[in-house]
């Protein structure tokens, strides 16, 4: 039997058949109503998909590790001022797909353990699940890396234990974090559309069986994402030149850091603010872990100063590849036994010297000179010095028959006339001495001859003095 379609017609007031068309006003009202409905639906959709606020990034690290400089650089500021206690910054988060903006809080704890009590102002029991922890290690001082990581991880664990969080909520956070760690899927190279890890949207992914964890994996589950950032990786060349670090040293350091990351389920990234290395990668990974943005960068382990290992990628077998380069050390050796702190060199310029005031210095010198004994002048140096300037010993007379030696000129500049008289007198004395020496061999008693020669010498000298500068002759002699 074929169905028969019956067409019904509405009867108008005049009894004629035909449907009444809606008026223009009714059509406009219906369009306006549909427009408002679409606007309300869009607003409600945006409110549900709006970026969440109240996300936190907790940054730990020793003094001088560069944590404030690192976060300031990621923020986009040129110069950051280091504070004390607990510093606060924020990161601008922009969702281009939804055209939405929000701010991510960044709390930087001081490197002094005295300020660890300030953590209660940064994160509470309610905001802990919206927090990511960042441990900063200084690669310019690799001998402090492991001690620093262990110290700040203990500080965070102690703070979480002091919070009044119900045990069931803590277990839920730990199970969620472990599931994210196990379900990590490395992004395919060149494919930008796929998410980094499987999400719980499809039933097939819910039935995914996670592989069991290794022996030393997630032994310290904090329930929140953890990121280890090694700063100042540009110091690798300095360590090679000044401290004779080799490839073996850097592989040993990396292996111990990666083992620490496995225990806490943390990611690892090497950065350098000086060379602006991996800074954008660090920002994208933080946004990915806090807001769930897509992240398509795979692990990077080729360059020793630009390592990046996302959480969930690493395992014991991949770390064992580094052990192949070990020649003088074993993988199980203690970190501090091989990475030894170099001896401290005392530098002269470490101590700042302050210049003394000029007037104070001169006053000290004046008082010092006043205490010194007076220095004798040349005029009063030796009263025993003779008029001719030659010193003689008192109480010791020379031989009677030997005349005085040639006069020595004084230090003072003599008068020219006196100098000429002394020179002529010296010539005469030497002349008569030669004559007297010839007469010593004449017959007679030595004593008489000596007295007689002395008398003749004195008579001749007096005669010469009376005659002035007259030259002696044979007749005078």
């Amino acid at each position: 039997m074929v169905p028969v379609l019956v067409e019904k017609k509405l009867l108008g007031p005049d009894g004629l058949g035909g449907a009444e068309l809606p008026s223009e006003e009714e059509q406009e009202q219906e369009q306006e109503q549909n427009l408002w409905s679409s606007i309300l639906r869009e607003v409600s959709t945006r409110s549900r998909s709006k970026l969440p606020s109240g996300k936190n990034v907790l940054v730990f690290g020793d003094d001088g590790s560069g944590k404030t400089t690192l976060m300031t650089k990621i923020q986009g500021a040129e110069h950051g001022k280091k504070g004390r206690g607990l510093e606060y910054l924020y990161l601008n988060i922009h969702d281009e797909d939804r055209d939405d903006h929000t701010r991510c809080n960044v709390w930087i704890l001081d490197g002094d353990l005295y300020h660890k009590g300030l953590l209660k102002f940064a994160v509470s029991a309610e905001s802990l699940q919206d927090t990511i922890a960042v441990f900063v290690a200084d690669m310019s001082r690799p001998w402090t890396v492991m001690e620093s990581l262990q110290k700040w991880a203990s500080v965070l664990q102690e703070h979480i234990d002091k919070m009044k969080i119900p045990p069931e909520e803590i277990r839920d956070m730990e199970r969620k974090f472990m599931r994210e760690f196990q379900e990590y899927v490395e992004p395919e190279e060149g494919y930008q559309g796929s998410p980094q890890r499987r999400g719980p949207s499809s039933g097939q992914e819910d039935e995914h069986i996670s592989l069991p964890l290794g022996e030393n994996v997630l032994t310290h589950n904090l329930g929140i994402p953890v990121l280890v950032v090694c700063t100042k990786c540009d110091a690798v060349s300095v360590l090679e030149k000044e401290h004779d670090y080799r490839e073996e040293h850097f592989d040993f350091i990396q292996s111990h850091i990666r083992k620490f990351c496995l225990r806490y389920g943390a990611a690892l990234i090497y950065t350098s603010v000086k060379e602006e290395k991996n800074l954008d990668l660090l920002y994208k990974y933080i946004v990915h872990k806090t807001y769930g943005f897509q992240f398509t960068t795979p692990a990077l382990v080729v360059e020793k100063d630009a390592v990046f290992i996302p959480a969930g990628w690493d395992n014991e077998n991949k770390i064992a590849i580094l052990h192949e380069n070990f020649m003088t050390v074993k993988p199980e050796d203690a970190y501090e036994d091989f990475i030894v702190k170099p001896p401290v060199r005392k530098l002269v310029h470490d101590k700042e010297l302050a210049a003394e005031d000029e007037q104070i210095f001169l006053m000290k010198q004046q008082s010092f000179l006043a205490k010194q004994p007076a220095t004798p002048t040349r005029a009063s140096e030796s009263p025993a010095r003779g008029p001719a300037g030659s010193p003689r010993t008192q109480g010791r007379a020379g031989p009677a028959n030997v005349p005085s030696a040639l006069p020595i000129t004084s230090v003072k500049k003599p008068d020219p006339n006196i100098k000429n008289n002394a020179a002529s007198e010296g010539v005469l004395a030497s002349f008569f001495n030669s004559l007297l020496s010839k007469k010593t061999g004449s017959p007679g008693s030595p004593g008489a001859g000596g007295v007689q020669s002395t008398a003749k010498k004195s008579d001749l000298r007096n005669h010469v003095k009376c005659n002035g500068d007259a030259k002696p002759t044979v007749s005078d002699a």
Side-chain angles (χ1 to χ4, degrees):
M1 182 177 181
V2 180
V4 178
L5 297 177
V6 179
E7 183 181 358
K8 293 182 179 182
K9 295 182 180 180
L10 297 177
L11 298 177
D14 53 356
L16 298 176
E20 183 181 359
L21 297 175
S23 63
E24 295 180 358
E25 294 180 359
E26 292 178 353
Q27 291 179 357
E28 291 178 356
Q29 290 178 359
E30 185 178 359
Q31 290 178 357
E32 290 179 359
Q33 185 177 3
N34 293 334
L35 178 62
W36 283 108
S37 300
S38 62
I39 292 175
L40 291 175
R41 284 195 300 270
E42 184 179 357
V43 170
S44 62
T45 304
R46 286 187 177 182
S47 62
R48 289 194 300 268
S49 62
K50 187 177 181 180
L51 288 174
S53 58
K55 298 289 186 177
N56 300 296
V57 178
L58 278 179
V59 183
F60 302 87
D62 294 338
D63 287 333
S65 59
K67 52 186 182 294
T68 303
T69 306
L70 176 67
M71 301 311 297
T72 304
K73 192 71 175 179
I74 294 177
Q75 186 189 28
E78 292 296 331
H79 301 285
K81 295 182 179 179
K82 178 174 171 47
R84 296 288 296 175
L86 185 66
E87 301 178 65
Y88 174 77
L89 300 174
Y90 64 86
L91 300 178
N92 287 315
I93 309 300
H94 180 216
D95 188 356
E96 296 179 355
D97 297 335
R98 303 169 184 172
D99 194 17
D100 192 12
H101 296 266
T102 188
R103 287 183 175 181
C104 180
N105 304 316
V106 179
W107 304 92
I108 305 175
L109 184 65
D110 193 276
D112 190 355
L113 290 177
Y114 175 79
H115 302 285
K116 65 180 181 179
L118 299 175
L119 283 175
K120 61 183 179 181
F121 301 104
V123 60
S124 60
E126 294 77 14
S127 62
L128 179 63
Q129 57 185 355
D130 296 327
T131 303
I132 178 175
V134 178
F135 298 138
V136 177
D138 187 0
M139 278 298 290
S140 65
R141 298 176 296 172
W143 46 88
T144 64
V145 167
M146 295 308 302
E147 181 182 359
S148 175
L149 293 177
Q150 295 288 354
K151 176 177 65 176
W152 294 115
S154 302
V155 170
L156 180 58
Q157 182 68 66
E158 179 183 355
H159 178 68
I160 294 176
D161 294 340
K162 289 182 179 179
M163 293 182 179
K164 296 181 180 180
I165 304 177
E168 184 63 27
E169 186 177 347
I170 289 290
R171 285 192 292 268
D172 291 342
M173 293 173 58
E174 292 177 354
R175 284 194 293 265
K176 178 183 176 182
F177 180 71
M178 183 176 63
R179 184 171 63 253
E180 292 178 354
F181 185 87
Q182 290 176 311
E183 294 178 354
Y184 169 82
V185 176
E186 188 170 2
E188 298 179 6
E189 186 176 358
Y191 184 67
Q192 301 294 331
S194 62
Q196 185 176 356
R197 62 174 184 270
R198 295 186 178 94
S201 57
S202 63
Q204 182 180 0
E205 292 176 352
D206 288 339
E207 296 176 359
H208 174 72
I209 300 176
S210 300
L211 296 176
L213 298 175
E215 181 180 358
N216 297 319
V217 180
L218 271 181
T219 56
H220 299 73
N221 190 346
L222 300 177
I224 59 175
V226 180
L227 176 60
V228 175
V229 180
C230 295
T231 58
K232 305 180 183 179
C233 292
D234 52 276
V236 170
S237 59
V238 179
L239 294 173
E240 292 175 343
K241 294 178 182 178
E242 296 185 0
H243 303 290
D244 196 21
Y245 273 43
R246 302 180 301 274
E247 197 77 21
E248 183 181 16
H249 291 79
F250 299 111
D251 290 341
F252 186 80
I253 295 171
Q254 185 184 146
S255 65
H256 274 262
I257 297 177
R258 288 169 65 174
K259 289 178 181 178
F260 172 86
C261 292
L262 278 182
R263 291 195 295 269
Y264 286 87
L268 173 63
I269 182 170
Y270 283 21
T271 63
S272 173
V273 175
K274 183 178 180 180
E275 298 179 355
E276 297 186 356
K277 186 174 295 184
N278 282 350
L279 298 182
D280 186 61
L281 181 63
L282 174 61
Y283 171 79
K284 290 181 179 179
Y285 191 77
I286 291 177
V287 172
H288 161 68
K289 300 299 290 185
T290 51
Y291 295 96
F293 283 15
Q294 289 185 357
F295 187 79
T296 58
T297 304
L300 306 173
V301 293
V302 177
E303 299 182 12
K304 59 185 175 182
D305 57 345
V307 177
F308 169 65
I309 299 176
W313 178 86
D314 210 359
N315 55 42
E316 292 284 349
N317 295 330
K318 294 178 181 178
I319 297 177
I321 299 176
L322 297 172
H323 302 163
E324 298 175 359
N325 297 329
F326 291 176
M327 303 296 294
T328 61
V329 68
K330 298 179 180 179
E332 60 273 9
D333 288 348
Y335 184 85
E336 59 275 5
D337 292 343
F338 188 63
I339 308 300
V340 184
K341 181 180 179 180
V344 180
R345 300 178 182 178
K346 295 182 178 181
L347 302 178
V348 179
H349 63 271
D350 285 347
K351 185 178 180 181
E352 184 178 357
L353 300 177
E356 191 178 9
D357 186 69
E358 182 181 0
Q359 297 300 325
I360 298 176
F361 173 76
L362 295 176
M363 291 293 293
K364 289 182 179 180
Q365 296 301 318
Q366 184 180 9
S367 61
F368 176 75
L369 294 175
K371 296 178 182 179
Q372 296 294 326
T375 305
T377 59
R378 290 188 177 274
S380 58
E381 265 185 7
S382 178
R385 187 178 295 272
S390 59
R392 294 185 64 86
T393 306
Q394 295 182 359
R396 181 180 179 184
N401 58 345
V402 179
S404 61
L406 294 176
I408 302 175
T409 58
S410 176
V411 177
K412 295 182 180 181
K413 185 177 180 180
D415 189 26
N417 297 329
I418 299 177
K419 181 177 181 181
N420 295 333
N421 295 335
S424 60
E425 184 178 355
V427 173
L428 291 175
S430 60
F431 174 73
F432 288 117
N433 285 335
S434 63
L435 293 177
L436 291 175
S437 60
K438 292 180 181 181
K439 292 184 179 183
T440 53
S442 59
S445 62
V451 175
Q452 185 179 4
S453 61
T454 305
K456 289 182 178 179
K457 175 184 175 184
S458 60
D459 292 340
L460 290 174
R461 184 174 297 176
N462 293 334
H463 178 71
V464 170
K465 286 183 178 181
C466 294
N467 292 336
D469 294 337
K471 295 182 180 182
T473 60
V474 180
S475 58
D476 292 336

